[in-house]
């Protein structure tokens, strides 16, 4: 690889990209362990793909916001470095596929020129901060949550407290109590509130999550004042970093920490951490994210084709009146979340005269356009229709959410995208009236990990398999009864039955027919499901699970021609923890450099946290010499005392716990930063000298 050079205005970003290029070279030369390199690249949005030798790149778009210029830049980059396709995700990101690892630094640089980042889009970090796409224009919102979502994104990007956690943290902001950002399945979910004085704040939902074991979040604050949003989040992250599981990734989310310690103890730890926070109160800059300017008045053609029935259908399902009088929001349904780059360019050219220069990616993999004038709606419809983007039924039964499945994902078991397209066609053709129904959601994941959010679907499917006649048959696990209730409350879908994948269409027909026949007047799907009970649906669908009458085509998955095989790779959704002694000591030296640089810059809080990381990483390295691999940072601190300090092998003058945990006993002042950094430097040099002496003794 040739040495990479970049010229960006932001020196921090420039250093980050150059560092990635150096690490790639070291990895290619065999000087960085594969698992450590994986962790590093994931935190920079570079994710191993199902196909060997290429990467998926995830672009981090805070609350799904993208301008015309940014979308065009992403399209250009996807053409030059990827496959010419953009995939919209349920976390309001954009992904591109089939990218060479060696070209990722220059790809990143190209994006940063238009203020687009890859940083912390994957890995054990704070992932993309999501929000209701209609934030800022919803008629019933207490206030616009967009500046608050942006503040959380900005504050924790590259923040030392959340760079190498045990696993990821997901944060959402809903615009109203309708909770369209699904606060109840997030580590931290925020719903805007006004108190009796009209002051701003948030209801806080804590430690929710989907995955193979869904947990509904707990409401821990009915009203958290707006200036406490950042401090509270900071305390949560610091506690998760110290006490969260690091060895068993299946138990490493915040929800499992609550399960292990209990909600009250975790909340007490969060409260105790507040003294160490960089910010005790944080005033969010409400001007950091402003509403886009409405488009200029445009002369419309004198003759526009009279709107027909299709236009009326689109108007009823995809358009709503904004709180800004005279303007409308327009949703664009994007089939399975895929947009070819040429389509993205055509779309921007078509809509630019009629909408504001801000597009929001939605949680169901569509787009929201803003500030459309009423008189422009017919012409905008005709433009979208010409491009194939005027399908009605946005966020309805006919708008199926899906992950990429076996198309590109290592963990995918089934082809969820082809199944989603098939189910959408079924609804349009056989149940057209239900394209108006926005109260029933279908969601599909290629495996049990719920990237397609099947766990919160009214009707959900996730990829699986069954065995019949000595062969493996592609199957789906049918999930029913999940979904949003509102104001932070939600329901987890129940596993009902597993059927061959090719029978998913029959499953959907059976459920919809039964709902039509048995639901009482104006009865919601949730009420209908609860009234009839899970067993009713098991018995209803049981004939479809019969494997004695399989047809040959049922051994082939949707969108495939070959016989089904389960080929699951190594998942990278949260990175992999490595525990190599030499690597950890090298990391300690690197972190010490970061601590010293932060100290020289007067960033006392950052210097303190980097110093803390030096202490813990270095202790962990020495513990590995005795075969002790503690699964939490808190455990490392305890084990180091037990195995090195209490027996006098490493004399410290105090316990290691007392030394390290000064961090949450002091304000982040210059004086404490000075002392703590000196102690971290001394400890690192002591351990390094001990290791070198051991090595020399062993190797003569």
């Amino acid at each position: 690889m040739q040495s990479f050079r970049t010229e960006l205005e932001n020196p921090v970003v420039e250093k980050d990209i150059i560092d990635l290029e150096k690490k790639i070279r070291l990895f290619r030369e065999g000087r960085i362990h594969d698992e450590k390199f994986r962790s590093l690249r994931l935190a920079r949005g570079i994710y191993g793909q199902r196909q060997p030798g290429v990467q998926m790149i995830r672009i981090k778009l805070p609350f799904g916001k993208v301008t015309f210029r940014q979308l065009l830049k992403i399209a250009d980059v996807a053409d030059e470095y990827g496959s010419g396709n953009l995939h919209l995700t349920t976390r309001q990101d954009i992904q591109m596929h089939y990218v060479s690892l060696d070209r990722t630094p220059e790809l990143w640089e190209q994006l940063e020129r238009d203020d687009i980042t890859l940083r912390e889009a994957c890995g054990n970090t704070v992932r993309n901060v999501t929000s209701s796409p209609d934030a800022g224009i919803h008629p019933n919102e207490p206030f616009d949550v967009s500046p608050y979502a942006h503040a959380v994104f900005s504050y924790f990007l590259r923040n030392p407290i959340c760079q190498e956690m045990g696993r990821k943290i997901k944060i959402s902001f809903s615009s109203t109590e309708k909770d369209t950002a699904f606060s109840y399945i997030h580590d931290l979910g925020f719903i805007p509130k006004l108190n009796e004085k009209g002051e701003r704040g948030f209801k806080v939902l804590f430690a929710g999550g989907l995955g193979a074991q869904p947990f509904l979040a707990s409401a821990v604050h009915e009203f958290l004042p707006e200036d406490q949003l950042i401090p509270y989040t900071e305390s949560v992250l610091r506690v998760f970093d110290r006490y969260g599981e690091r060895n068993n990734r299946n138990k490493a989310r915040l929800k499992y920490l609550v399960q292990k310690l209990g909600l009250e103890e975790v909340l007490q730890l969060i409260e105790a951490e507040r003294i160490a926070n960089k910010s005790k109160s944080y005033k969010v800059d409400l001007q950091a994210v402003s509403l886009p300017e409405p488009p200029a008045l445009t002369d419309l053609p004198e003759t526009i084709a009279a709107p027909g029935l299709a236009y009326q259908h689109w108007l009823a399902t995809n358009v709503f009146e904004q709180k800004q009088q005279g303007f409308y929001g327009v949703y664009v349904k994007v089939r399975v979340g895929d947009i070819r780059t040429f389509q993205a360019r055509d779309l921007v050219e078509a809509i630019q005269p009629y909408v504001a220069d801000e597009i929001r990616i939605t949680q169901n993999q569509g787009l929201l356009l803003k500030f459309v004038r009423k008189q422009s709606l017919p012409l905008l419809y005709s433009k979208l229709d010409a491009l194939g983007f005027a399908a009605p039924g946005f966020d309805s039964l006919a708008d199926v959410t899906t992950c990429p499945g076996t198309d590109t994902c290592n963990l995918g078991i089934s082809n969820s995208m082809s199944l989603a397209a098939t189910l959408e066609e079924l609804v349009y053709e056989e149940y057209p009236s239900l394209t108006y129904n926005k109260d029933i959601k279908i969601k599909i994941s290629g495996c049990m990990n719920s990237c397609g959010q099947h766990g919160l679907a009214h009707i959900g499917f996730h990829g699986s398999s069954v065995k019949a006649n000595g062969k493996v048959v592609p199957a789906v696990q049918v999930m029913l009864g999940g979904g949003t209730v509102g104001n932070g409350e939600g329901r987890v879908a129940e596993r009902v039955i597993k059927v061959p994948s090719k029978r998913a269409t029959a499953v959907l027909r059976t459920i919809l027919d039964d709902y039509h026949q048995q639901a009482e007047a104006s009865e919601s799907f949730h009420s209908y499901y609860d009234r009839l009970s899970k067993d009713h649906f098991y018995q209803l669908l049981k004939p479809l699970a019969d494997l004695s009458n399989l047809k040959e085509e049922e051994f082939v998955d949707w969108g495939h021609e070959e016989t089904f095989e389960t080929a699951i790779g190594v998942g990278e959704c949260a990175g992999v923890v490595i525990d190599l002694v030499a690597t950890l000591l090298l990391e300690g030296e690197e972190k010490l450099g970061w601590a010293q640089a932060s100290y020289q810059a007067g960033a006392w809080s950052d210097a303190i946290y980097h110093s803390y990381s030096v202490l813990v990483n270095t202790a962990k390295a020495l513990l590995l010499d005795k075969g002790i691999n503690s699964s939490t940072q808190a455990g490392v601190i305890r084990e180091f005392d037990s195995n090195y300090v209490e027996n006098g092998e490493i004399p410290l003058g105090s316990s290691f716990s007392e030394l390290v945990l000064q961090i949450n006993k002091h304000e982040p002042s210059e004086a404490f930063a000075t002392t703590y950094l000196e102690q971290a430097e001394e400890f690192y040099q002591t351990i390094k000298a001990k290791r070198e002496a051991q090595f020399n003794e062993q190797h003569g």
Side-chain angles (χ1 to χ4, degrees), residues 5 13 22 63 104 120 132 172 219 231-232 255 307 389 437 480 508 530 542 544 606 611 619 669 682:
R5 295 183 179 181
V13 175
K22 288 179 179 176
F63 47 96
T104 54
E120 295 154 54
S132 299
S172 76
Y232 186 77
K255 60 189 181 183
F389 284 125
N437 188 317
L480 297 175
L508 184 58
D530 292 343
K542 189 176 179 180
L544 296 175
D606 289 358
S611 299
S669 64
E682 183 180 354

Side-chain angles (χ1 to χ4, degrees), residues 171-234:
I171 299 174
S172 76
F173 287 81
S174 284
S175 57
T176 70
E177 289 185 357
K178 194 174 179 182
D179 200 10
T180 51
F182 314 131
S183 66
Y184 57 95
I185 52 96
H186 282 77
D187 297 286
L188 282 170
F190 298 102
I191 300 175
K193 300 287 182 181
L194 296 173
N195 66 11
E196 60 279 1
K197 297 179 181 178
E199 297 167 332
R200 294 182 173 190
F202 295 90
K203 181 174 183 176
V204 182
L205 281 300
F206 181 73
L210 286 176
Q213 289 185 280
F215 283 65
L216 294 174
S218 300
V220 294
H221 285 281
E222 290 298 325
F223 185 84
L224 181 74
E226 61 174 334
D227 73 306
Q228 293 303 302
L229 170 69
I230 294 293
Y232 186 77
T233 304
E234 182 175 350

Side-chain angles (χ1 to χ4, degrees), residues 420-452:
T422 300
L423 295 183
E424 286 190 357
E425 289 174 8
L426 185 154
V427 174
Y428 279 124
E429 293 174 6
E430 301 180 26
Y431 303 90
S433 65
L434 292 180
T435 57
Y436 290 91
N437 188 317
K438 294 179 180 285
D439 296 323
I440 305 176
K441 304 292 190 295
I442 302 173
K443 298 179 185 290
I444 307 174
S445 300
C447 71
M448 66 179 66
N449 284 320
S450 208
C451 294

Side-chain angles (χ1 to χ4, degrees), residues 236-453:
V236 169
L237 296 179
R238 295 171 75 100
V239 167
F240 181 58
D241 193 36
R242 186 167 305 133
Y243 294 94
E245 169 69 30
R246 289 174 180 270
N247 290 351
N248 181 357
R249 65 184 299 274
N250 294 321
K251 295 289 183 181
R253 293 294 300 275
L254 185 59
K255 60 189 181 183
Y256 293 113
L257 180 61
V258 170
Q259 187 182 57
K260 177 182 176 181
L261 299 182
L263 179 61
E264 289 307 313
E265 183 172 346
V266 173
L267 294 179
Q268 289 172 11
L269 290 171
I270 292 168
E271 183 61 31
E273 201 67 29
R274 290 173 65 86
I275 190 172
N277 282 348
K278 182 189 298 186
S279 303
K280 304 299 185 292
S281 172
Y282 188 93
K283 184 173 178 58
V284 170
D285 179 7
L286 300 182
Q287 304 307 313
V289 180
S290 55
L291 286 170
E293 289 293 324
L297 282 169
T298 305
D299 291 332
L300 300 176
E302 292 184 9
T303 58
I304 302 176
L309 188 61
Y311 170 74
Q312 297 300 331
H313 193 181
W314 173 82
L315 203 64
T317 60
N318 294 36
V319 179
F320 67 97
E321 191 168 0
Q322 297 181 190
K323 71 178 184 181
Q324 293 83 8
Q325 190 172 2
F327 291 102
Y328 291 79
V330 173
Y331 285 113
V332 177
K333 186 175 176 296
V334 179
R335 193 182 194 192
V336 301
D338 275 355
I339 302 178
R340 299 294 297 174
T341 50
F342 72 86
Q343 292 177 306
R345 294 188 189 92
D346 290 346
L347 177 66
V348 170
E349 183 180 0
I351 68 175
Q352 200 162 2
Y354 313 110
V355 309
D357 186 6
E358 180 187 306
I359 300 172
R360 294 277 182 107
I361 297 166
T362 68
Q363 279 83 348
N364 62 339
Q365 303 167 294
L367 302 171
L368 172 60
L369 313 178
K370 299 181 175 182
F371 287 95
V372 182
R373 290 182 167 84
K374 188 173 184 178
Q375 60 268 37
S376 300
L377 285 170
L379 186 56
L380 178 63
Y381 169 77
S382 68
K383 296 285 187 180
L384 292 173
D385 189 41
L387 297 175
F389 284 125
F394 180 87
D395 202 31
S396 72
L397 185 74
D399 196 355
V400 179
T401 302
T402 178
C403 70
T406 52
D407 276 19
T408 54
C409 179
N410 266 330
L411 292 177
I413 297 173
S414 66
N415 191 326
S416 49
M417 297 181 80
S418 293
L419 175 56
T422 300
L423 295 183
E424 286 190 357
E425 289 174 8
L426 185 154
V427 174
Y428 279 124
E429 293 174 6
E430 301 180 26
Y431 303 90
S433 65
L434 292 180
T435 57
Y436 290 91
N437 188 317
K438 294 179 180 285
D439 296 323
I440 305 176
K441 304 292 190 295
I442 302 173
K443 298 179 185 290
I444 307 174
S445 300
C447 71
M448 66 179 66
N449 284 320
S450 208
C451 294
Q453 301 176 336

